[in-house]
């Protein structure tokens, strides 16, 4: 694979990733996920309201859904570690690329 083909491939991948992230942002996916985390279920709301009516000292943290399943295992941790490694390598590579580009452009 020649350098020009490699550069074209990298450019296409970066453009593709940009459009994927752009359309995710346009669709409101991130906001939806955040709102889903913050919403209380009907049962939790009823328990909160009855405790307020009874005059109990309430904190919203007492009513949040604590029954969330933990799916973490060795494979998922390995995937997460690999993802962090790729992120760091990509960040270092892009920083090096832009510093070389900055040196080439600046007088």
């Amino acid at each position: 694979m020649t350098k020009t083909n490699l550069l074209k491939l990298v450019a296409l991948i970066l453009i593709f990733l940009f459009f994927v992230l752009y359309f995710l942002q346009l669709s409101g996916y991130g906001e939806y996920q955040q709102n889903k985390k913050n919403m209380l279920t009907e049962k939790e709301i009823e328990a909160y309201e009855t405790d307020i009516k009874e005059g109990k000292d309430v904190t919203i943290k007492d009513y949040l859904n604590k029954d969330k399943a933990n799916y973490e295992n060795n494979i998922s941790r390995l995937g997460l570690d690999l993802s962090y490694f790729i992120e760091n390598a990509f960040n270092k590579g892009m920083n090096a690329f832009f510093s070389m580009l900055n040196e080439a452009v600046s007088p």
Side-chain angles (χ1 to χ4, degrees):
M1 183 173 254
T2 64
K3 286 185 178 182
T4 56
N5 287 343
L6 183 63
L7 287 176
K8 286 180 185 179
L9 178 65
V10 169
L12 285 174
I13 291 172
L14 289 175
I15 290 170
F16 174 75
L17 289 175
F18 170 77
F19 280 113
V20 166
L21 293 173
Y22 180 74
F23 286 118
L24 281 174
Q25 185 266 337
L26 278 181
S27 70
Y29 179 76
E31 292 174 11
Y32 170 73
Q33 291 296 328
Q34 188 61 36
N35 285 336
K36 196 166 82 170
K37 287 180 186 177
N38 293 335
M39 289 178 16
L40 295 174
T41 64
E42 293 289 327
K43 191 180 353 173
E44 293 164 339
I45 291 172
E46 288 177 16
Y48 180 74
E49 289 174 349
T50 56
D51 286 348
I52 288 178
K53 286 178 185 175
E54 293 172 1
K56 293 182 181 177
D57 186 26
V58 294
T59 307
I60 194 68
K61 292 180 183 177
D62 296 337
Y63 302 93
L64 294 176
N65 189 3
K66 296 175 186 171
D67 299 333
K68 300 204 186 238
N70 183 7
Y71 297 108
E72 188 174 305
N73 58 31
N74 290 337
I75 294 174
S76 66
R77 271 181 258 139
L78 176 67
L80 189 59
D81 290 342
L82 180 63
S83 143
Y84 287 143
F85 175 75
I86 292 171
E87 175 189 6
N88 290 333
F90 183 77
N91 282 338
K92 288 179 183 177
M94 291 307 288
N95 287 338
F97 171 74
F98 284 119
S99 68
M100 289 185 334
L101 189 63
N102 189 23
E103 290 175 8
V105 172
S106 55

